[in-house]
Amino acid sequence: MKDSDILMDTSILYRCTQKYYDKCLEAYDINFSHLPILIQIYEHEGIAMNRLADMCGYDKGTITKSIQKLMQSNYVAMASDEADKRVKRLYTTDQTKGMIAQLYMVRKDWWEHLTQDMEEADITAFSRIQSKLCENARSFDDVKRGSLKLFEMQKVSFRDYPGNLACVLYTGGCNFRCPFCKNSNLVYVSEGQNEISGDTIYSYLSKRAGLIDCVTLSGGEPLMHELRPFLSKLHDLGYRIKLDTNGAYPAYLKELVRNGYVDYVAMDVKNGWTRYGESAGRDDLDFHLIQESIDFLKQGLVPYEFRTTIVKELHEKSDLLEMKELLRGAKKCVLQVFEDNGQIIQSGLHPVNMDTMRTFQAILAESVACVQIKEGKERDGMCMK
Ligand code: SF4
């Protein structure tokens, strides 16, 4: 089959499905685009609007318009979360509950029409392949990556890569603006900021091959850069590679892991989903991308850890309860005690006390195999700028 046939078939399937649903749903004053949303709310009563957008793969504007329409037609009601008024929770109305069974039948009839004359095994195979195609489509990564720019180098660290002596390299630029970020100079990169040349780094690492075990790529966000040629060279020198990432580029992360470019991943998990955007300094954050990176790492293709910097103003028990669900089944999570090094992005933030850290640790330990608390400075050893 030619690619053009697949595109055409997908287009026909979409348009015919839309036509069918629009016609059947006309009597209910909703259309094709509203049905999956309504069903998701019915099956997850009280779901947060942001969470619904992530599940359905909608942007904020689209989901807001659809919810407004469903509310106008008295199918959905919205209520503020009792603990956090900013979180909008969605419920179906009695009107929806009275007719949803008919909508399930509308959906079922169309599926039966589409799959008529097909073998059960073919239908199962199609469903599996369709899910995979959707996963691949959602992970489409159209980011244009620049050449690698390194601004800082910590020559030796005893604490960065578990059980190893590491050299830590810091890339410049980040797509997040976490209020508690201690590397604001790598987020707000100044015009005059000096880069460290690749040759300088390569020369240093060539001489230490066998003495230092591994190299950590940190930042900033390393996945905003084209890393592959540089990582290949480091592997050729015998270094293992640890990657620090904020998890916003799952497609690239998967590629690097699956092709053996990285040997260990430490991913920041900033918060539960309700306050994720706030904690990343990005109101428009597509949380689905974060979820995708978490789910991928949990598969365990490489050793990994999740890390969360706990900040009094950003983390409460309810947030940790959400994180407990996000990380369920993970092998390791490190809770870092927030420290203000005088360079953080937003002033006026504070650490929580140790009792609270231990309470949070206990919450996560209900779903994560190993939860550690890390105190003290993250950078040790010698630093070169
Ligand atoms: S803490 Fe946040 S803003 Fe700072 S480098 Fe990491 S992801 Fe970027």
Side-chain angles (χ1 to χ4, degrees):
M1 181 183 274
K2 301 198 302 279
D3 287 353
S4 56
D5 293 337
I6 296 171
L7 181 62
M8 181 60 77
D9 287 350
T10 307
S11 172
I12 291 169
L13 188 57
Y14 178 83
R15 283 183 285 114
C16 290
T17 302
Q18 182 176 31
K19 202 159 75 181
Y20 164 83
Y21 275 108
D22 283 353
K23 190 165 187 308
C24 294
L25 298 175
E26 203 175 4
Y28 300 94
D29 192 29
I30 55 174
N31 64 32
F32 173 54
S33 68
H34 300 125
L35 187 60
I37 295 172
L38 191 56
I39 287 178
Q40 285 301 324
I41 297 171
Y42 183 68
E43 293 181 2
H44 304 87
E45 293 284 355
I47 188 170
M49 191 148 87
N50 288 349
R51 178 79 175 139
L52 179 65
D54 294 333
M55 281 172 70
C56 298
Y58 290 119
D59 57 55
K60 268 189 182 172
T62 306
I63 199 85
T64 303
K65 266 169 68 178
S66 294
I67 295 295
Q68 279 170 352
K69 167 64 186 161
L70 289 169
M71 288 174 67
Q72 278 164 12
S73 301
N74 193 31
Y75 288 121
V76 166
M78 185 189 286
S80 295
D81 186 276
E82 284 186 7
D84 184 346
K85 300 288 177 222
R86 291 167 298 183
V87 179
K88 304 299 176 202
R89 299 205 173 272
L90 301 166
Y91 303 86
T92 53
T93 60
D94 290 345
Q95 175 174 286
T96 296
K97 293 181 181 78
M99 60 73 162
I100 193 87
Q102 293 153 42
L103 299 187
Y104 277 115
M105 289 309 123
V106 167
R107 189 174 72 165
K108 187 167 172 22
D109 286 348
W110 181 240
W111 181 243
E112 283 177 357
H113 175 75
L114 288 181
T115 56
Q116 60 187 308
D117 305 327
M118 286 173 69
E119 298 290 332
E120 197 57 40
D122 290 339
I123 296 171
T124 306
F126 172 77
S127 297
R128 188 169 39 80
I129 292 166
Q130 189 188 36
S131 295
K132 182 63 188 156
L133 289 174
C134 286
E135 184 194 327
N136 289 344
R138 292 180 70 166
S139 68
F140 173 65
D141 181 14
D142 63 353
V143 178
K144 301 262 181 301
R145 293 196 164 76
S147 58
L148 179 59
K149 292 193 183 305
L150 296 163
F151 289 96
E152 293 184 19
M153 174 181 182
Q154 187 179 343
K155 289 182 172 179
V156 184
S157 168
F158 304 98
R159 294 158 47 100
D160 190 79
Y161 194 142
N164 289 275
L165 200 57
C167 168
V168 188
L169 304 175
Y170 294 87
T171 61
C174 187
N175 56 329
F176 283 8
R177 209 170 43 173
C178 310
F180 50 86
C181 177
K182 297 203 290 192
N183 295 339
S184 55
N185 60 322
L186 296 171
V187 178
Y188 304 137
V189 181
S190 68
E191 291 126 308
Q193 197 148 328
N194 287 329
E195 271 183 63
I196 306 174
S197 76
D199 286 348
T200 304
I201 291 165
Y202 192 72
S203 161
Y204 173 81
L205 290 172
S206 300
K207 291 177 195 146
R208 272 86 182 169
L211 299 172
I212 296 175
D213 306 304
C214 64
V215 175
T216 294
L217 260 290
S218 191
E221 174 49 45
L223 292 185
M224 293 177 70
H225 301 254
E226 174 52 84
L227 301 174
R228 286 163 285 198
F230 185 65
L231 296 185
S232 291
K233 282 169 81 175
L234 297 184
H235 266 149
D236 288 346
L237 288 176
Y239 286 101
R240 288 192 297 282
I241 307 294
K242 171 173 171 274
L243 173 73
D244 291 351
T245 179
N246 62 26
Y249 299 103
Y252 193 29
L253 173 65
K254 288 177 189 178
E255 190 200 325
L256 293 182
V257 169
R258 286 179 175 147
N259 291 308
Y261 284 100
V262 295
D263 304 286
Y264 191 99
V265 178
M267 177 182 158
D268 285 359
V269 175
K270 307 289 179 190
N271 212 327
W273 54 81
T274 302
R275 301 183 74 184
Y276 212 98
E278 182 188 356
S279 304
R282 285 280 303 264
D283 287 342
D284 61 337
L285 182 73
D286 182 353
F287 180 74
H288 167 258
L289 298 173
I290 305 297
Q291 177 89 60
E292 194 177 335
S293 292
I294 293 173
D295 291 344
F296 172 69
L297 289 176
K298 280 200 280 191
Q299 292 172 22
L301 268 63
V302 281
Y304 66 90
E305 66 185 47
F306 296 116
R307 306 183 304 198
T308 304
T309 302
I310 298 293
V311 181
K312 189 175 177 185
E313 287 76 9
L314 292 172
H315 297 96
E316 294 176 19
K317 191 176 168 192
S318 57
D319 303 306
L320 270 289
L321 290 171
E322 286 186 357
M323 284 182 58
K324 182 178 87 174
E325 297 312 316
L326 267 184
L327 301 183
R328 184 169 290 285
K331 290 200 175 82
K332 184 176 176 186
C333 178
V334 178
L335 297 181
Q336 297 174 159
V337 178
F338 167 72
E339 279 183 344
D340 186 346
N341 66 350
Q343 291 181 21
I344 60 172
I345 286 183
Q346 181 185 312
S347 58
L349 301 178
H350 303 88
V352 301
N353 61 35
M354 260 305 155
D355 282 348
T356 305
M357 288 296 287
R358 285 192 206 98
T359 302
F360 289 176
Q361 180 185 30
I363 291 172
L364 292 190
E366 289 172 23
S367 69
V368 177
C370 171
V371 185
Q372 295 176 349
I373 294 177
K374 188 171 171 187
E375 289 182 78
K377 295 196 184 319
E378 281 171 36
R379 295 195 194 184
D380 53 9
M382 294 171 286
C383 197
M384 179 163 107
K385 292 193 181 183

